Amino acid sequence: EIVLTQSPGTLSLSPGERATLSCRASQSVSSSSLAWYQQKPGQAPRLLIYGASSRATGVPDRFSGSGSGTDFTLTISRLESEDFAVYYCQQFGSSAVTFGQGTKLEIK
Amino acid sequence: EVQLLESGGGLVQPGGSLRLSCAASGFSFSSYVMNWVRQAPGKGLEWVSVISSTSGNTYYADSVKGRFTISRDNSKNTLYLQMDSLRTEDTAVYYCAKRGKEPCFDYWGQGTLVTVSS
């Protein structure tokens, strides 16, 4: 099973700043199989990025994904108040799916 | 508009059983792979199970293998999760999630809470 490790666990930033969230896989992952989600308290997760770098429908262009192999990054170029949430990366294996443990993005 | 509506959660004693349902609408249900994902209180997301569009293939997380059974009724646009031999560590919000055409979960339900406690 591929393990995804997200860092940092918590990121404290101010609105307008740039956020960089990391997701590292225990072995190489196909870029087409890497996705990112946003979850706010009391809500279901929301798809942000699929295929490592493709934005889902309706996702603002301040969100971008990059990376390949074992290292992937979610970048939020200029934080807005509604972006403070928990973010998860996810990968699809041949039969199983795994999630990272999450990065909490909090207001500084 | 795609909608996924889970039901069937509640309080159950350890060793008990529960069946969750997920009613789907707004898309061609029979054409898509469906999943269950859970989230224990204050914890992260854990994938539970997946079923192919025709029910021909099912897979489970090791933590639930042999105790949970995923199924679907395409004539009713409904996904199910039969949970047996429940343990306290199965306490979580259970979400159904639709797999997109690309590897991702593009739509999620609002979740149903399962509490396993004596």
Side-chain angles (χ1 to χ4, degrees), chain A residues 58-81:
Chain A
V59 175
D61 60 7
R62 64 180 181 273
F63 290 90
S64 62
S66 63
S68 63
T70 60
D71 291 300
F72 297 87
T73 301
L74 175 69
T75 301
I76 310 171
S77 58
R78 294 172 308 280
L79 285 167
E80 298 196 4
S81 57

Side-chain angles (χ1 to χ4, degrees), chain B residues 37-54:
Chain B
V37 177
R38 68 184 181 182
Q39 186 169 37
K43 303 298 184 181
L45 301 172
E46 180 188 15
W47 173 78
V48 171
S49 184
V50 60
I51 186 168
S52 63
S53 58
T54 59

Side-chain angles (χ1 to χ4, degrees), chain A residues 30-52:
Chain A
S30 168
S31 294
S32 64
S33 300
L34 197 289
W36 290 91
Y37 299 84
Q38 176 193 67
Q39 187 179 34
K40 297 180 179 179
Q43 297 185 15
R46 170 198 179 196
L47 174 66
L48 294 176
I49 301 287
Y50 64 92

Side-chain angles (χ1 to χ4, degrees), chain B residues 9-80:
Chain B
L11 175 63
V12 61
Q13 292 187 336
S17 297
L18 213 54
R19 188 175 87 152
L20 306 183
S21 299
C22 171
S25 60
F27 66 102
S28 179
F29 179 74
S30 62
S31 298
Y32 288 91
V33 173
M34 296 296 295
N35 292 261
W36 287 99
V37 177
R38 68 184 181 182
Q39 186 169 37
K43 303 298 184 181
L45 301 172
E46 180 188 15
W47 173 78
V48 171
S49 184
V50 60
I51 186 168
S52 63
S53 58
T54 59
S55 304
N57 291 298
T58 59
Y59 298 97
Y60 299 90
D62 288 343
S63 58
V64 306
K65 199 172 296 182
R67 300 187 299 120
F68 289 13
T69 304
I70 190 171
S71 62
R72 64 193 295 164
D73 186 337
N74 286 343
S75 69
K76 295 182 178 179
N77 291 346
T78 303
L79 175 72
Y80 302 102

